[in-house]
């Protein structure tokens, strides 16, 4: 897939999350997501706030708050005060937006939205079956040399991810085996995905995520 195709796929994934948010009741929206400290509604709000505010605004607020993570959290929680229908409508309206991000921009944005889809769907007990080709592109980015803003450097060093649902591997070292969506969620630090994986490299990854 070329850059424009990846951006189009990312926009479609955002619209899919917006459609899902429109269907959830208040209890589901308040369900804790896989993002620590955020419920399902706040994850959707985060996608909106980052698109609406832009990276430069987040960086500026991060400098004022002493941490970019604090800025991201503040903006997400502020946006989450809006009605869910409004959040969904905003995400749908901003779906095609391309905010600046260090290269490679397109795969990184795709990986982000796929991971946040899992953050929402998995704790709700909904099917999380992202397109295999898109999942592979996301894992190419997440296991690459510069997964900036998503995977801390060194988390996957010395680990080889072996997909059991496609003929693909990523990285070198101690093997971790599992379906590609769960490998992707583990790569972004979601410990809930680890129980669906196995292999000699699993204890090392579990230690790095928890530590």
């Amino acid at each position: 897939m070329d850059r424009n195709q990846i951006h189009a796929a990312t926009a479609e994934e955002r619209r899919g999350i917006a459609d899902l948010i429109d269907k959830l009741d208040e209890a589901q929206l308040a369900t804790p997501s896989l993002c620590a400290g955020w419920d399902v509604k706040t994850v959707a709000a985060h996608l909106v706030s980052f698109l609406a505010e832009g990276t430069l605004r987040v960086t500026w607020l991060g400098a004022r708050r002493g941490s970019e993570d604090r800025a991201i959290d503040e903006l997400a929680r502020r946006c989450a005060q809006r009605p869910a229908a409004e959040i969904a409508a905003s995400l749908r309206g901003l779906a095609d937006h391309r905010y600046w991000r260090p290269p490679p921009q397109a795969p990184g944005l795709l990986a982000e939205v796929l991971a946040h889809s899992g953050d929402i769907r998995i704790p709700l007990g909904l099917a999380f079956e992202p397109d295999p080709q898109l999942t592979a592109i996301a894992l190419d980015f997440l296991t690459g040399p510069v997964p900036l803003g998503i995977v801390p450097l060194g988390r996957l060093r010395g680990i080889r991810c072996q997909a059991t649902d496609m003929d693909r591997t990523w990285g070198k070292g101690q093997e971790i085996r599992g379906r590609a969506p769960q490998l992707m969620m583990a790569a972004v630090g979601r410990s809930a995905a680890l129980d669906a994986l196995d292999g000699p490299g699993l204890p090392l990854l579990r230690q790095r995520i928890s530590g």
Side-chain angles (χ1 to χ4, degrees), residues 1 13 110 114 129-140 165-166 168 170 179-181:
M1 298 180 74
E13 291 293 330
L110 175 64
L114 289 179
E129 298 288 344
D131 178 87
Q133 184 180 15
L134 300 182
T135 307
I137 291 170
L139 277 164
D140 289 342
D165 55 342
M166 64 176 72
R168 285 294 308 273
W170 295 268
R179 299 181 68 252

Side-chain angles (χ1 to χ4, degrees), residues 11 14-23 29 41 44-45 47-49 51-52 79 82-97:
R14 290 172 181 153
R15 284 188 282 269
I17 292 174
D19 291 344
L20 174 59
I21 293 300
D22 272 334
K23 297 175 183 177
L29 291 167
K41 186 181 180 184
L47 290 170
V48 170
S49 64
L51 289 169
C79 184
R82 298 160 57 186
E86 188 177 323
I87 292 171
S90 295
L91 182 55
R92 200 174 288 113
L94 291 166
D96 291 298
H97 188 66

Side-chain angles (χ1 to χ4, degrees), residues 1 5 15 38 41 52-53 56 63 73 85 89 101 117 120 122 135-136 138 155-156 158 189 195 202 206:
M1 298 180 74
Q5 289 175 313
R15 284 188 282 269
W38 286 357
K41 186 181 180 184
E53 299 288 346
L56 293 180
D73 183 69
R101 194 178 192 119
S117 178
I120 291 171
I122 293 172
T135 307
R155 174 181 287 164
L156 300 176
D195 291 340
L202 189 57
R206 191 183 297 274

Side-chain angles (χ1 to χ4, degrees), residues 20-31 40 84 124:
L20 174 59
I21 293 300
D22 272 334
K23 297 175 183 177
L24 300 179
D25 59 30
E26 290 299 321
Q28 290 172 311
L29 291 167
T31 299
V40 163
L124 289 175

Side-chain angles (χ1 to χ4, degrees), residues 101-119:
R101 194 178 192 119
Q105 181 189 30
L109 295 176
L110 175 64
E112 178 183 50
V113 74
L114 289 179
H116 285 317
S117 178
D119 289 334

